[in-house]
Amino acid sequence: MKKETYILAGAALIIGILLGVIFSGGGGDKAPRVATPSAPPSAPPVNLQQNIQMLEDIVRREPDNRNAWVQLGHNYFDSNQPMKAIEAYNKALEMDPNDPDVITNQGVMFRRVGWYDRAIDNFRRANEINPMHPQSLYNMGVVYRYDLQDYEKAREAWSLYVERHPTGQGADQIRAELEFLRAHPQMPPGMPGQ
């Protein structure tokens, strides 16, 4: 009985995604991915490969379906295929170059492959398009702090985040990061807390 329940739940999820992509009219997903210094435990895996195959079929048939490209990028993102995610997000950005969520998601993938300058460029661009975009500021701080060890620029990005978003998801975590950086202004690479 359990196996049948999982199969039905998976089929319902796939059908829901397919219908959402087909009937969305090409709109984008507004749930950006956010970089984390270390990967949190993940939820039970969804059959991403099935979703990817379905979305690849859709973009083959409908290369101008922006929403399918965005969703495909998200599925590559979630299945740890950063180069494919970068390419899918690039296709979506060719159709709408001013989507701060997709730009930020692509920046997170740039970070994952070690292209930190490109990641920073994406986060800056997303924040220029929408100065109230919290994910771009958060991720910019992550790259500066953890990858480039540029603590001053991390402080700048995260200070803007807290100024613009004093409450809500992430604000307390960023305040703790800022407090740590204030207590260790010249922390060299390799110190605890990185």
Side-chain angles (χ1 to χ4, degrees):
M1 187 73 165
K2 275 187 170 182
K3 185 176 181 181
E4 291 170 346
T5 303
Y6 288 126
I7 291 171
L8 287 174
L13 177 66
I14 291 169
I15 290 169
I17 290 171
L18 178 61
L19 291 174
V21 169
I22 290 172
F23 294 111
S24 70
D29 177 30
K30 296 300 179 190
R33 291 3 187 201
V34 176
T36 55
S38 60
S42 60
V46 178
N47 192 342
L48 292 173
Q49 195 53 47
Q50 257 183 323
N51 293 345
I52 288 168
Q53 184 60 51
M54 175 191 62
L55 290 163
E56 287 173 341
D57 290 343
I58 291 171
V59 297
R60 258 192 297 280
R61 288 190 317 269
E62 304 171 37
D64 293 333
N65 186 332
R66 181 180 179 279
N67 190 54
W69 283 111
V70 171
Q71 293 300 322
L72 184 58
H74 293 344
N75 278 268
Y76 286 142
F77 183 116
D78 292 338
S79 64
N80 197 27
Q81 298 181 63
M83 291 306 295
K84 288 184 176 185
I86 288 168
E87 292 169 17
Y89 288 141
N90 208 43
K91 290 286 193 182
L93 289 169
E94 287 174 6
M95 293 175 231
D96 178 5
N98 296 315
D99 185 331
D101 295 328
V102 174
I103 293 167
T104 297
N105 293 344
Q106 187 184 50
V108 172
M109 293 293 92
F110 285 144
R111 177 187 185 234
R112 195 169 290 170
V113 297
W115 298 347
Y116 306 125
D117 291 341
R118 291 187 75 177
I120 291 292
D121 288 344
N122 271 44
F123 301 143
R124 277 197 189 118
R125 193 167 117 221
N127 197 256
E128 287 168 4
I129 291 168
N130 178 1
M132 294 303 290
H133 193 259
Q135 293 83 11
S136 58
L137 288 172
Y138 174 84
N139 285 301
M140 191 182 311
V142 168
V143 172
Y144 278 130
R145 159 100 162 79
Y146 290 96
D147 301 316
L148 300 175
Q149 286 83 41
D150 189 332
Y151 308 117
E152 184 56 36
K153 288 187 179 178
R155 278 190 286 275
E156 289 172 17
W158 285 340
S159 293
L160 277 175
Y161 180 103
V162 171
E163 177 184 310
R164 294 176 185 170
H165 305 281
T167 60
Q169 184 180 11
D172 290 336
Q173 176 189 356
I174 290 176
R175 278 191 194 86
E177 288 278 1
L178 285 168
E179 188 57 39
F180 183 85
L181 290 174
R182 279 185 203 102
H184 304 88
Q186 298 300 325
M187 185 177 66
M191 290 291 293
Q194 289 190 349

